[in-house]
Amino acid sequence: MNGPLKRAALACLLMFGLLMINVNYLQAVRAEDLRDDSRNTRNFYARYEVERGRITAGDKVLAESFDTGDSEFRFQRRYPEDKVYAPITGFFAPESERDMERAENSLLDGSSADLLIRRSIDLFTAKQTKGANVDLTINPRAQEAAYKALGESGKKGALVAIEPKTGAILAMVSIPTYDPNLLSKPNKDDVNKAYKKLDEDEDKPLVNRAIERTYPPGSTFKVVTTAAYLESDDTVGPETQVDAPQRLDLPGTTADLPNYGGAACGAGRVTLSFALEKSCNTPFGKIAMDLGYDALSEQALKFGIGGDPIEIPLPVVGSGIGPEEDQAALAQASIGQRSNQMTPLQMAMIAAGIANNGVVMKPYLVNRIADAEGGEVERADPDELSTAMSEDSARKLQEMMVNVVNKGTASAAQIPGVTVGGKTGTAETAEGRDPHAWFISFAPAEDPKVAVALIVESGSAGSDASGGQTAAPIAKSVMEAVLGR
Amino acid sequence: MSTPSAEPVLLPAKRRVAQLAMLAFAVAIVMLAYANVGLAIDNQIPAGMLTYGLGLGGLMLAAYLVLAKFAPWADPLILPLVTLVNGIGLVMIYRLEASGMPGASATTQLLWTAVGVVMFSATLIVLRDHRALQRLTYTMGAIGLVLLVSPLLPFIGHSENGANIWLKIAGFTFQPAEFTKLALVIFFAGYLVAKRDVLALAGRRLLFIDLPRARDLGPVLITWGLSLGVLILQKDLGSSLLIFGTFIAMLYIATQRTSWVLIGILLFVGGAVLAGLLFDHVAARFEVFLDPENPALYDREFGGSYQLMQGLFAMGQGGVLGTGLGQGHPDEIPLAFSDFIFTAAGEELGLTGLMALLMVYALLVERGLRTSIAAREPFSKLLAGGLSFILAWQVFIIVGGVTNLIPLTGLVTPFMSQGGSALLANWILIALLVRMSDTARKPPPQAIQDEGMTQVFQR
């Protein structure tokens, strides 16, 4: 019987061999797929096993994990400042995360390759690995001032403040907003319910208006048209005389372009500076038609409009002046109407670029990332996006924007003892709907510390909302906060 | 008178000290695993560790002493290997219980382990010569059949999770199929040894296959057919496959006829197709086997792939090194403490741990088969071979099932899964193997030379 016994032994060996091969296949080859399968609830538990890093702005903690002692959901996330920073921090939900929580997820949860050394040290010292801490560029005083000024009056809108010389984002507010604490509990049902409610809200509190939505920029866009004009010819300056008819005939159409409220602009021929101060429409329509679509879109591109998508590292939707159509469309685009669509961040970049003598810096939100022991992993390195205009042209434009605040439509943005430059905008939306109120500004003009762009959405500030009356005072309070006044 | 050979005769050694050391090592591994679970879950050494440690250590010491006294020549590796698997099973169950899995109970399992060791010892003490079992061939066949049909009896029969395979007496549930297996293997061994010559030689030739005479094969065929029928009625697919395969393997070992294996495979394929056509739950298992990831099958309420996928997710999560004991979520797998305990181990011990575990099983089977080859008479050979094969085959069916190598049929993982009946039956199985290895390795009586004309036998 030994013969068949040996063959039976061989069969047993074969069976164990098959089992071993299969186990190897499952745990070495297919493991990754099985781990990542959305039905594998372990991913859900794993989210609460690591102490995620903090998100801070200066000494203010915006997001942190705390130890509940619960073995299943040990580390949970909380946001001490709840609504104020929600559009920046985002939230950490059971099955997803958003905004900064998402953009820096691998560093926050410690899985990034950049933390490999830290993890190895932790392994040897038997320490629980903690995620890295992310420090933002946000200036809490500016952020809170903006949140207060924009939010308390019940207005809807968004504000972005940038440090012109670096591109660091000092404030980013979107209102209405939400409480990220509600979306970060480890209870899927609760979170889904809360999320659904927010998602179905007509006011769209989950949308970060500063970077995820575009609006017609209205008259604030005139600074771009002006920049294109200044760049087209060295001799052009604030005192250059431009045509300013009461109505500008739009070739090829029966319509024409009036000034705001159909008003006259000076005596039909005014200085460029005056046209900007009073925000006349006709001179800029005329300038744009003379320069042509290419000149305007090239100038726009230099400010980052229509270029490669920006990440700060939150993804920013694209802005654009619209496709090339006829002269009439061009004239309308030059004053920020028609298919001209901008994110508030984009408008802040324009203001900052002008303030920074024509150099547009890449905007960014992350100042520094350090591992749990304080070792630096990453530090922001300010980077030029482009040179939008020559220093000479930039100085001329700054001078004109200072005039807008001192003598023109933006007098509400004046700060005693500080030279402020700005431009108002009152953008028409649809026929019969209230306009958006815009304001872009920078201060101080001679050594810019802050540039602000702000939109108050249509309808949220009454039917007579205007950049000068509605938006400028809010921007002023943010600039004061940054300047420490 | 011949002079004694100058070369020393190579005799099997008892290796009792080596066995004790290996046993201590196995217990130590289990204790470290316990400590590991406690540290991972509660950040402290579990309070009951000393109790468990002394309990398991004491049990194994007792088993060792019984073995040393009553089967001193037994293979030294068998007991430590079983101890290790039984211990790892205990730790896994303890770990699942600690994370609040309903149904998992390490205390009960430890109690059953104790009873299992008692049965092991009792078998060794009572059964001094396993050939006594040969005389019980037909009795064993009858006992096997009675045990088999008992769950179908009124009052004591008990159904759980759709399978009608339990007995419930005085609050204790009991799975008679586990003992049926043992009884049937003994019956097959006894009967096939008695009839193997006729089975191998007499008969007609049909095409290229030699068929035995019906009256020779009758009793086995009837027993075997009955067991399959009953198990199918009870929806116990795993046990039917187990008994079917073991019967074929033993028939082959007894008759040396490859044709039996071919007939077996043909019958099996035919039977499987028929069962698939007749029974929905068989067809469902097959569907799940082919495409477990299919969301429609995953969400299906009855006979879906949810449990299988949870097991596979666990294994994927474990990866090569595992999450570490107490640090995974094996409690996500339904029945992780019984049918799916192998995947639970896969999550926390990883590929490394599972390979080690499979190696231990393979070694155990190999020691059994070695006993079979070393055995001196046919009944022992066939019984040891059958018992070793049923162990390997059982591991293959359940591990292959939960890892989606073959369709899932549901069986216990020997010595690991929670369950008293299986533990008892398997400890008795091990006692039989140990008894036979003792007989096989015992040196034959030596003729004492140069002592005049009288030969004195010594043991």
Side-chain angles (χ1 to χ4, degrees):
Chain A
M1 262 191 260
N2 282 355
L5 269 173
K6 281 176 187 163
R7 260 164 264 144
L10 208 62
C12 289
L13 198 69
L14 192 72
M15 291 193 299
F16 280 108
L18 280 174
L19 290 180
M20 286 178 178
I21 290 170
N22 192 42
V23 168
N24 270 281
Y25 166 70
L26 280 178
Q27 298 203 279
V29 182
R30 263 190 71 197
E32 191 89 32
D33 288 347
L34 289 167
R35 263 201 294 271
D36 295 343
D37 194 300
S38 60
R39 294 170 292 191
N40 188 348
T41 37
R42 285 164 187 78
N43 297 328
F44 166 56
Y45 292 119
R47 295 170 76 79
Y48 300 94
E49 273 164 11
V50 184
E51 184 171 356
R52 279 172 83 80
R54 275 171 294 149
I55 301 179
T56 55
D59 53 1
K60 217 159 203 138
V61 175
L62 310 182
E64 63 184 344
S65 289
F66 62 103
D67 191 344
T68 60
D70 182 343
S71 67
E72 218 151 62
F73 305 109
R74 184 154 168 216
F75 293 105
Q76 295 181 17
R77 204 76 170 145
R78 71 176 156 216
Y79 303 85
E81 307 291 325
D82 57 30
K83 289 184 168 186
V84 182
Y85 296 85
I88 303 165
T89 58
F91 53 83
F92 183 72
E95 287 170 311
S96 64
E97 60 280 316
R98 253 197 74 161
D99 297 326
M100 202 50 82
E101 294 276 26
R102 161 170 249 152
E104 301 294 352
N105 191 31
S106 66
L107 285 158
L108 285 167
D109 73 11
S111 65
S112 163
D114 295 344
L115 296 173
L116 203 62
I117 296 172
R118 181 78 258 156
R119 278 209 305 275
S120 322
I121 296 172
D122 287 344
L123 194 68
F124 278 111
T125 56
K127 256 199 238 159
Q128 179 116 33
T129 297
K130 287 184 190 172
N133 296 321
V134 174
D135 184 46
L136 303 181
T137 55
I138 297 291
N139 175 334
R141 279 168 50 99
Q143 179 79 7
E144 276 147 39
Y147 184 82
K148 218 172 139 194
L150 193 57
E152 279 189 350
S153 54
K155 297 176 180 107
K156 287 182 275 181
L159 179 144
V160 178
I162 292 181
E163 186 172 64
K165 288 174 185 166
T166 58
I169 295 174
L170 301 173
M172 184 157 81
V173 168
S174 171
I175 286 173
T177 180
Y178 61 94
D179 181 357
N181 290 302
L182 294 178
L183 301 177
S184 303
K185 296 176 189 160
N187 183 323
K188 280 188 204 175
D189 291 340
D190 283 3
V191 167
N192 288 345
K193 221 175 277 170
Y195 184 87
K196 199 166 174 234
K197 195 168 162 235
L198 288 167
D199 194 42
E200 284 168 358
D201 190 328
E202 275 184 10
D203 286 339
K204 294 290 167 206
L206 289 171
V207 173
N208 181 353
R209 292 161 160 77
I211 55 174
E212 289 171 359
R213 190 175 266 191
T214 59
Y215 303 88
S219 302
T220 53
F221 189 77
K222 285 171 188 165
V223 297
V224 178
T225 310
T226 309
Y229 189 37
L230 291 166
E231 285 285 277
S232 69
D233 186 346
D234 283 350
T235 61
V236 175
E239 301 309 318
T240 306
Q241 294 284 315
V242 291
D243 287 333
Q246 192 162 354
R247 304 184 88 81
L248 180 67
D249 182 46
L250 296 177
T253 63
T254 53
D256 46 15
L257 183 70
N259 289 318
Y260 183 67
C265 182
R269 212 170 148 73
V270 297
T271 62
L272 184 58
S273 185
F274 182 84
L276 202 67
E277 283 159 36
K278 299 293 178 235
S279 200
C280 307
N281 289 338
T282 53
F284 296 98
K286 175 90 170 46
I287 288 167
M289 288 197 289
D290 291 346
L291 292 173
Y293 179 86
D294 288 346
L296 190 66
S297 73
E298 233 167 78
Q299 183 60 57
L301 186 62
K302 286 183 184 168
F303 279 112
I305 302 164
D308 294 332
I310 299 175
E311 286 185 351
I312 58 173
L314 318 185
V316 181
V317 301
S319 298
I321 63 165
E324 182 169 8
E325 293 174 67
D326 52 14
Q327 286 287 84
L330 180 58
Q332 286 172 327
S334 75
I335 59 161
Q337 299 287 170
R338 195 85 181 194
S339 41
N340 199 326
Q341 289 283 330
M342 297 292 151
T343 55
L345 174 71
Q346 181 62 60
M347 292 314 295
M349 286 164 66
I350 293 169
I354 295 165
N356 193 32
N357 294 333
V359 177
V360 183
M361 302 301 289
K362 274 188 187 151
Y364 62 92
L365 262 172
V366 176
N367 177 41
R368 179 173 183 268
I369 298 177
D371 64 32
E373 305 294 310
E376 190 165 291
V377 179
E378 216 177 287
R379 180 177 273 284
D381 181 19
D383 200 3
E384 266 185 51
L385 182 70
S386 67
T387 302
M389 54 206 298
S390 68
E391 198 179 324
D392 186 42
S393 304
R395 286 193 193 286
K396 290 174 188 166
L397 190 47
Q398 285 166 18
E399 185 190 327
M400 286 188 273
M401 287 174 74
V402 169
N403 288 341
V404 172
V405 173
N406 288 345
K407 302 185 273 184
T409 53
S411 55
Q414 287 169 7
I415 303 171
V418 180
T419 39
V420 178
K423 181 71 195 86
T424 58
T426 308
E428 288 168 22
T429 50
E431 193 71 41
R433 282 188 60 195
D434 299 327
H436 297 309
W438 276 96
F439 189 63
I440 63 173
S441 61
F442 54 82
E446 55 282 357
D447 179 25
K449 295 273 193 287
V450 58
V452 176
L454 157 69
I455 179 171
V456 178
E457 268 183 18
S458 147
S460 62
S463 57
D464 58 347
S466 70
Q469 297 307 309
T470 315
I474 299 172
K476 177 187 162 187
S477 64
V478 174
M479 289 188 286
E480 282 175 335
V482 175
L483 299 176
R485 292 197 171 237
Chain B
M1 288 294 110
S2 59
T3 49
S5 144
E7 258 178 75
V9 181
L10 207 61
L11 289 174
K14 288 184 180 173
R15 312 297 300 261
R16 294 269 66 87
V17 177
Q19 183 177 30
L20 191 61
M22 284 190 291
L23 210 52
F25 187 52
V27 173
I29 291 177
V30 174
M31 284 308 105
L32 286 175
Y34 258 120
N36 194 342
V37 170
L39 286 172
I41 293 181
D42 301 323
N43 255 330
Q44 57 185 22
I45 304 283
M49 186 168 148
L50 200 65
T51 331
Y52 279 119
L54 288 178
L56 190 70
L59 272 177
M60 293 313 152
L61 188 66
Y64 168 78
L65 290 176
V66 169
L67 192 142
K69 174 87 173 74
F70 293 96
W73 290 96
D75 190 311
L77 208 52
I78 294 179
L79 188 61
L81 290 174
V82 173
T83 304
L84 185 59
V85 190
N86 198 145
I88 296 291
L90 272 168
V91 170
M92 276 320 292
I93 294 166
Y94 172 78
R95 182 255 168 281
L96 289 165
E97 188 185 4
S99 62
M101 183 150 200
S105 168
T107 320
T108 321
Q109 182 77 349
L110 185 62
L111 209 70
W112 281 115
T113 305
V115 181
V117 171
V118 169
M119 290 303 278
F120 168 84
S121 311
T123 310
L124 280 185
I125 295 169
V126 173
L127 193 71
R128 301 306 259 285
D129 187 350
H130 61 275
R131 274 163 296 191
L133 292 173
Q134 197 172 4
R135 294 197 295 273
L136 295 175
T137 300
Y138 290 95
T139 320
M140 282 297 171
I143 291 177
L145 281 181
V146 169
L147 284 174
L148 190 67
V149 294
S150 57
L152 296 177
L153 296 175
F155 304 119
I156 54 170
H158 180 65
S159 171
E160 252 176 54
N161 302 330
N164 196 8
I165 51 176
W166 277 274
L167 285 185
K168 196 166 190 176
I169 302 167
F172 277 99
T173 53
F174 182 74
Q175 218 174 334
E178 295 296 335
F179 295 94
T180 304
K181 290 170 206 165
L182 269 184
L184 287 184
V185 171
I186 296 172
F187 167 64
F188 289 157
Y191 186 83
L192 291 173
V193 164
K195 301 280 176 164
R196 68 192 188 109
D197 291 333
V198 253
L199 285 174
L201 301 173
R204 267 170 305 177
R205 192 174 173 84
L206 187 71
L207 294 177
F208 56 94
I209 293 166
D210 294 310
L211 288 178
R213 291 181 305 196
R215 67 183 146 109
D216 295 328
L217 199 55
V220 216
L221 221 62
I222 289 167
T223 316
W224 169 74
L226 263 177
S227 32
L228 285 196
V230 170
L231 290 172
I232 287 169
L233 276 180
Q234 293 170 341
K235 297 191 177 180
D236 190 356
L237 297 175
S239 292
S240 17
L241 187 58
L242 187 67
I243 289 179
F244 183 95
T246 307
F247 174 63
I248 296 296
M250 289 178 74
L251 197 54
Y252 168 69
I253 294 171
T255 62
Q256 313 209 26
R257 292 284 187 89
T258 319
S259 56
W260 283 118
V261 180
L262 293 177
I263 293 175
I265 290 172
L266 283 177
L267 276 177
F268 171 73
V269 171
V273 170
L274 199 68
L277 292 174
L278 288 177
F279 305 109
D280 286 346
H281 66 278
V282 179
R285 292 281 172 91
F286 203 72
E287 260 179 1
V288 162
F289 164 66
L290 288 179
D291 190 13
E293 289 190 67
N294 187 336
L297 292 180
Y298 185 82
D299 294 329
R300 193 159 69 185
E301 200 175 342
F302 297 104
S305 65
Y306 177 82
Q307 187 181 23
L308 180 64
M309 283 312 292
Q310 288 303 322
L312 295 182
F313 288 152
M315 297 200 38
Q317 199 74 23
V320 174
L321 292 175
T323 59
L325 280 167
Q327 295 178 52
H329 288 279
D331 47 321
E332 290 290 302
I333 318 164
L335 290 183
F337 55 87
S338 67
D339 288 17
F340 276 72
I341 198 161
F342 188 78
T343 56
E347 174 165 3
E348 303 210 316
L349 300 177
L351 175 62
T352 324
L354 289 190
M355 289 296 278
L357 210 51
L358 287 172
M359 273 319 275
V360 171
Y361 276 122
L363 266 177
L364 194 57
V365 169
E366 186 265 347
R367 297 314 278 198
L369 288 165
R370 181 166 285 228
T371 297
S372 167
I373 285 175
R376 299 197 185 96
E377 28 73 46
F379 175 71
S380 305
K381 274 187 182 303
L382 198 50
L383 185 57
L387 292 177
S388 309
F389 184 82
I390 203 170
L391 202 59
W393 186 226
Q394 183 161 359
V395 172
F396 181 74
I397 293 175
I398 184 61
V399 171
V402 297
T403 56
N404 206 37
L405 181 66
I406 60 172
L408 181 62
T409 51
L411 271 181
V412 297
T413 312
F415 298 107
M416 281 188 84
S417 297
Q418 185 174 323
S421 331
L423 215 48
L424 287 193
N426 283 320
W427 270 106
I428 295 174
L429 186 154
I430 290 301
L432 293 178
L433 277 183
V434 164
R435 167 54 67 221
M436 286 185 279
S437 81
D438 176 59
T439 313
R441 286 161 49 96
K442 198 186 294 173
Q446 298 275 314
I448 297 168
Q449 308 296 329
D450 299 330
E451 285 239 343
M453 299 306 286
T454 318
Q455 281 199 339
V456 179
F457 288 90
Q458 74 174 22
R459 289 221 165 198

